[in-house]
């Protein structure tokens, strides 16, 4: 207990300091006013509503599936940027970089494992999130458009995972992308042009690797960030989560 | 002088039952809907703290798994050496399994396209707004329609010999159609089946088919997309 009191005192002193107060202009969150300020006075937190229904915070209401999807995206962004430091989108350098990650780079294996694991988990989490929202009726008015943004996020997640699949440039990557891009060519009329645009040629080669790299590291993450921001923002603007309202029945 | 009132006044705050409401605002009143929102909490600290904890739990779990489970890395890509079978990432293996049965334009383009369109339009067709049990109204007519659709799907899948699509369809179809014959009961599972709405059945059928196809594509398909047992 002594330590707790001491920590409390230190924390209080830090919070009183000029530097702290220049960063967080509000005082400590003791009143609802300062607690509100903590949310809408913060660039990152202001996408959240100031108040939420108590029901929507229960674990069984959401299983935090949306949050988990987002957190996995954060983990993927961090590990992905670190992996970019060791990666050349060229043939066969890309594969050599994978070998370097395994044998040369310290914690390289761990970094790659974490990125791959989080990627698989994000696909699962996003799907699960969608099904859960459906069964809970979370798409009902006024949440219609947020559901549509969510479907967009599902597609972006799948494309992110898929474009990342090619980057190690091993047999697994090459043939998985071969199978996938062959399906695209069956789209009537536009199939072959789309495949050509995606691969930068007729075969999966160096151009395809570069395009997938740019899609995976720049275009799709940017699209995801914009959609995620809209998705969160809309929760607040549509009046908060209406979970616990299980198809109008008492839950 | 009192005006003659030719409208009905009522209070409804149940958006599920009455999505559109007209409010007459007379003097000294407001257009306030009387509805109970329920207890509310401040986002700071309640949401922020919970989210931070969720993030920490997730990170710990990921780190522990990533320490012991290695991401696969095969030989350098070789366009001349086709593995048999060449498999897509696991989340597309359901589609690849469909490609085994149906022409590519159907399995690779039409079906996924329709699935995406169906997902997008869900909130705009008042799907499941009331969550009315399937057999609550017009049960005979609905039974005939549903049984007809089921027979059509069954025939279609038999014609294409799409067994791995057929099996989850038969299971879900049997439960949905079968729940028509169940008598009202106090048994929980029976009551559960009887209280399901049509959108619930359709979505559950979709998930069952998608899961089955993905599992089969991942674990039960070998050279030439032939059936293999994973433990052999």
């Amino acid at each position: 207990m002594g330590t707790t009191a001491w920590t409390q005192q230190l924390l209080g002193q830090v919070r009183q300091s000029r530097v702290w107060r220049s960063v967080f202009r509000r005082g400590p969150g003791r009143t609802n006013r300062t607690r509100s300020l903590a949310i809408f006075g913060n660039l990152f937190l202001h996408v959240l509503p100031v108040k939420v229904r108590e029901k929507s915070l229960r674990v069984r209401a959401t299983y935090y599936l949306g949050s988990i999807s987002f957190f996995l995206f954060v983990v993927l962004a961090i590990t992905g940027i670190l992996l970019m430091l060791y990666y050349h989108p060229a043939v066969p350098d890309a594969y050599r970089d994978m070998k370097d990650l395994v044998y040369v780079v310290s914690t390289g294996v761990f970094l790659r494992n974490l990125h791959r694991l989080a990627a698989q988990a994000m696909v699962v989490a996003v799907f699960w999130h969608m099904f859960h929202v459906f069964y809970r009726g979370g798409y009902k008015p006024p949440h219609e458009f947020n559901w549509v943004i969510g479907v967009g996020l599902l597609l972006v997640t799948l494309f992110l995972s898929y474009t990342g699949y090619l980057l190690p440039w091993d047999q697994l990557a090459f043939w998985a992308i071969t199978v996938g891009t062959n399906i695209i060519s069956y789209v009537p009329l536009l199939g072959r042009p789309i495949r050509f645009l995606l691969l930068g040629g007729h075969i999966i080669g160096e151009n395809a690797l570069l395009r997938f790299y740019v899609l995976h590291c720049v275009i799709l993450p940017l699209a995801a960030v914009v959609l995620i921001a809209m998705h969160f923002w809309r929760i607040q603007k549509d009046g908060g989560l209406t979970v616990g309202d299980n198809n109008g029945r008492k839950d | 002088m009192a005006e003659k009132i030719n409208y009905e006044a009522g209070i409804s705050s149940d958006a599920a039952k009455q999505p559109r409401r007209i409010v007459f605002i007379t003097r000294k009143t407001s257009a306030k809907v009387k509805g109970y929102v329920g207890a509310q909490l401040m986002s700071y600290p309640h949401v922020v703290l919970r989210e931070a904890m969720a993030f920490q739990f997730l990170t710990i779990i990921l780190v522990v798994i990533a320490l012991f489970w290695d991401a696969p890395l095969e030989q350098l890509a070789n366009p001349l050496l086709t593995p048999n079978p060449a498999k897509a990432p696991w989340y597309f293996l359901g589609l690849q399994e469909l490609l085994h049965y149906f022409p590519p334009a159907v399995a690779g383009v039409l079906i996924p396209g329709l699935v995406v369109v169906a997902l997008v339009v869900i909130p705009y067709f008042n799907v499941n707004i009331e969550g009315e049990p399937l057999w609550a109204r017009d049960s005979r007519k609905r039974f005939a329609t549903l049984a007809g659709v089921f027979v059509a799907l069954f025939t279609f899948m038999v014609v294409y010999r799409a067994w791995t699509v057929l099996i989850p369809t038969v299971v879900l179809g049997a439960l949905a159609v079968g729940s028509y014959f169940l008598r009202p009961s106090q048994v929980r599972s029976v009551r559960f089946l009887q209280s399901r709405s049509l959108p619930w059945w359709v979505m559950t059928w979709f998930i069952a088919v998608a899961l089955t196809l993905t599992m089969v594509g991942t674990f039960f398909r070998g050279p030439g997309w032939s059936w293999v047992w994973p433990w052999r």
Side-chain angles (χ1 to χ4, degrees):
Chain A
M1 290 308 283
T3 332
T4 321
W6 182 80
T7 325
Q8 290 276 334
Q9 201 189 353
L10 185 72
L11 208 63
Q13 275 171 4
V14 170
R15 278 179 158 170
Q16 291 298 313
S17 71
R18 214 180 135 185
V19 176
W20 180 275
R21 280 189 291 145
S22 74
V23 181
F24 304 100
R25 292 184 177 280
R26 59 176 185 87
R30 291 205 188 97
T31 62
N32 280 356
R33 185 179 166 275
T34 48
R35 285 169 184 169
S36 308
L37 281 169
I39 296 296
F40 56 67
N42 183 304
L43 174 66
F44 304 102
L45 293 182
H46 89 288
V47 293
L48 296 172
V50 169
K51 276 192 234 171
V52 294
R53 293 181 185 84
E54 196 216 336
K55 267 187 172 181
S56 69
L57 273 185
R58 293 178 193 165
V59 174
R60 276 176 58 99
T62 60
Y63 295 110
Y64 287 66
L65 288 167
S67 307
I68 288 171
S69 309
F70 171 66
F71 294 149
L72 286 166
F73 181 75
V74 172
V75 170
L76 284 163
I78 296 168
T79 52
I81 288 169
L82 291 175
L83 284 169
M84 279 171 81
L85 298 176
Y86 303 104
Y87 184 79
H88 304 82
V91 178
D93 307 42
Y95 184 72
R96 216 177 291 151
D97 291 335
M98 290 304 116
K99 288 290 183 191
D100 272 2
L101 277 174
V102 177
Y103 295 111
V104 183
V105 180
S106 50
T107 69
V109 181
F110 174 69
L111 209 55
R112 194 167 108 82
N113 288 353
L114 198 57
H115 193 74
R116 170 120 185 167
L117 175 68
Q120 313 284 18
M122 187 172 162
V123 173
V124 175
V126 169
F127 266 113
W128 193 358
H129 175 47
M130 182 180 77
F131 294 139
H132 192 255
V133 167
F134 177 83
Y135 285 124
R136 279 307 187 115
Y139 57 85
K140 290 173 189 176
H143 303 280
E144 307 102 308
F145 188 61
N146 219 7
W147 168 270
V148 178
I149 297 172
V151 175
L153 273 168
L154 170 75
L155 296 179
V156 169
T157 307
L158 287 178
F159 284 133
L160 265 170
S161 182
Y162 186 67
T163 48
Y165 220 84
L166 183 65
L167 303 189
W169 202 254
D170 63 345
Q171 280 287 73
L172 199 66
F174 185 88
W175 291 101
I177 302 307
T178 305
V179 171
T181 48
N182 281 344
I183 296 176
I184 300 173
S185 53
Y186 291 114
V187 177
L189 299 173
L190 291 174
R192 292 194 170 273
I194 292 173
R195 187 172 183 270
F196 187 85
L197 189 72
L198 196 65
L199 298 183
H202 292 291
I203 53 151
I204 299 174
E206 206 151 26
N207 289 345
L209 182 60
L210 187 59
R211 291 201 175 190
F212 273 52
Y213 177 73
V214 174
L215 278 171
H216 186 73
C217 302
V218 183
I219 299 172
L220 291 171
L222 279 178
V225 167
V226 171
L227 286 176
I228 290 170
M230 284 168 76
H231 201 57
F232 286 3
W233 181 249
R234 289 296 296 230
I235 296 173
Q236 185 200 130
K237 294 294 151 188
D238 295 339
L241 297 183
T242 44
V243 288
D245 173 31
N246 194 359
N247 283 342
R249 288 186 296 274
K250 283 272 192 301
D251 191 32
Chain B
M1 183 187 147
E3 282 175 38
K4 196 189 170 195
I5 297 173
N6 56 356
Y7 54 85
E8 244 182 49
I11 294 173
S12 171
S13 52
D14 190 353
K17 290 221 172 91
Q18 302 192 326
R20 289 189 192 83
R21 274 162 274 162
I22 300 172
V23 178
F24 295 99
I25 306 166
T26 53
R27 264 170 292 172
K28 290 181 186 170
T29 58
S30 69
K32 192 179 168 191
V33 176
K34 282 180 189 164
Y36 179 59
V37 188
Q40 289 192 304
L41 291 172
M42 298 301 291
S43 294
Y44 180 88
H46 296 282
V47 176
V48 177
L49 198 68
R50 280 171 172 81
E51 297 289 344
M53 280 165 63
F55 187 45
Q56 286 173 5
F57 278 124
L58 184 76
T59 312
I60 291 167
I61 294 168
L62 285 178
V63 165
V64 170
I65 299 176
L67 282 173
F68 296 103
W69 177 82
D70 278 344
L73 185 66
E74 293 185 1
Q75 296 294 311
L76 176 68
N78 182 356
L80 302 174
L81 188 69
T82 314
N84 192 3
K87 285 191 180 183
W90 63 266
Y91 39 84
F92 287 150
L93 283 182
L95 282 183
Q96 212 179 335
E97 174 74 11
L98 276 181
L99 276 169
H100 178 58
Y101 300 115
F102 303 109
V106 176
V109 183
L110 188 67
I111 293 177
L114 283 178
V115 166
V116 172
V117 171
L119 285 175
V120 166
V121 301
I122 281 174
Y124 296 101
F125 278 82
N126 284 359
V127 170
N128 221 12
I129 293 287
E130 293 202 30
E132 179 193 59
L134 178 56
W135 310 119
R137 280 189 295 118
D138 309 329
S139 58
R140 281 200 169 187
K141 207 169 126 194
R142 286 182 181 190
F143 176 76
T145 316
L146 195 75
V149 169
F150 178 67
V151 169
L153 276 174
F154 186 87
T155 318
F156 178 74
M157 286 164 198
V158 170
V159 167
Y160 277 93
R161 299 174 187 283
W163 309 122
T164 48
V165 194
L166 185 70
I167 290 165
T169 307
V170 167
V171 172
L172 262 295
L175 285 173
V177 175
S179 69
Y180 176 74
F181 297 104
L182 291 172
R183 274 189 231 125
S185 153
Q186 289 302 309
V187 184
R188 270 187 81 175
S189 54
V190 172
R191 274 173 48 184
F192 179 81
L193 286 180
Q194 286 173 333
S195 62
R196 297 302 97 186
S197 63
L198 182 64
W200 188 93
W201 284 111
V202 174
M203 182 55 109
T204 309
W205 168 67
F206 168 73
I207 295 174
V209 170
L211 266 182
T212 312
L213 291 180
T214 308
M215 300 287 267
V216 168
T218 310
F219 299 112
F220 295 89
R221 290 300 183 181
W225 213 251
S226 60
W227 187 271
V228 289
W229 299 104
W231 51 85
R232 289 245 173 108

